[in-house]
Amino acid sequence: MVNASSNLASQTRIEKKMTDKKKYVTLVKKYDGVTPNANGVIYSPEALKKAVDEHQNLAGSGKWLGGTFLNGDFQKYPLPLSEVSHVVREVSMDGDIVQAQIELLDTPRGKFLQSMIEAGQKPTMGIAALASVEEDDTVRNMDLSTIDVIGFEEDK
């Protein structure tokens, strides 16, 4: 088992929803099942879909998945609470698109992330998982550890 994180190009849709002063952002990322992540690992669509569905089932039972803003510095999991910037409230997969709705927290990292978004930055999503990597560098069995913000989209 290894800790695998992805850094493929993402699309971020900023949806600022305010409910009882909570702040939500929706992150969207394409996983094509062909392009390796930063660790040279490819998530098979079937493994990723299964992990996403399992997380959503956990979220429905009241368990939550915390994430952080990494800024290029990969973390060890599980995250200490002092490093958590957001909670993944919903995650889904449609075809090769993973979508995660995160709630920004009132923590130092959460406040920093919120200030960057308010300044017009679009966060990029990375998935960290505990996974079995096959000889062809493909993950066919994984448990979602977290969905992190791994940086910001570059202006084009």
Side-chain angles (χ1 to χ4, degrees):
M1 298 270 192
V2 298
N3 186 21
S5 296
S6 177
N7 71 344
L8 299 177
S10 67
Q11 302 168 346
T12 302
R13 183 173 56 235
I14 305 297
E15 292 182 2
K16 294 181 181 176
K17 293 183 180 179
M18 300 298 222
T19 308
D20 297 326
K21 297 188 180 186
K22 294 181 181 179
K23 300 154 196 83
Y24 296 92
V25 175
T26 300
L27 306 172
V28 180
K29 187 165 191 167
K30 181 176 181 175
Y31 290 89
D32 59 14
V34 176
T35 307
N37 67 13
N39 295 329
V41 173
I42 299 167
Y43 293 135
S44 75
E46 300 80 17
L48 189 53
K49 174 76 171 134
K50 181 180 177 205
V52 164
D53 289 348
E54 286 173 356
H55 169 68
Q56 194 56 39
N57 288 337
L58 282 175
S61 69
K63 298 192 188 256
W64 59 275
L65 184 68
T68 192
F69 167 61
L70 294 174
N71 197 24
D73 179 29
F74 291 100
Q75 301 283 332
K76 293 182 179 179
Y77 297 96
L79 286 172
L81 289 177
S82 62
E83 299 294 314
V84 176
S85 63
H86 61 273
V87 173
V88 180
R89 291 296 180 197
E90 293 182 28
V91 62
S92 61
M93 187 169 178
D94 184 14
D96 58 0
I97 304 295
V98 175
Q99 180 170 301
Q101 184 183 68
I102 62 172
E103 177 187 344
L104 302 178
L105 299 176
D106 193 25
T107 62
R109 283 193 185 237
K111 289 176 183 178
F112 176 77
L113 185 54
Q114 180 180 339
S115 69
M116 295 297 287
I117 291 168
E118 288 174 353
Q121 297 295 311
K122 291 186 175 184
T124 56
M125 173 172 61
I127 289 179
L130 191 58
S132 299
V133 181
E134 305 291 328
E135 287 184 24
D136 63 357
D137 293 327
T138 300
V139 171
R140 292 188 178 80
N141 185 19
M142 63 187 283
D143 291 318
L144 198 57
S145 297
T146 189
I147 294 176
D148 289 322
V149 173
I150 60 171
F152 296 96
E153 293 179 10
E154 293 182 22
D155 290 331
K156 296 178 182 175

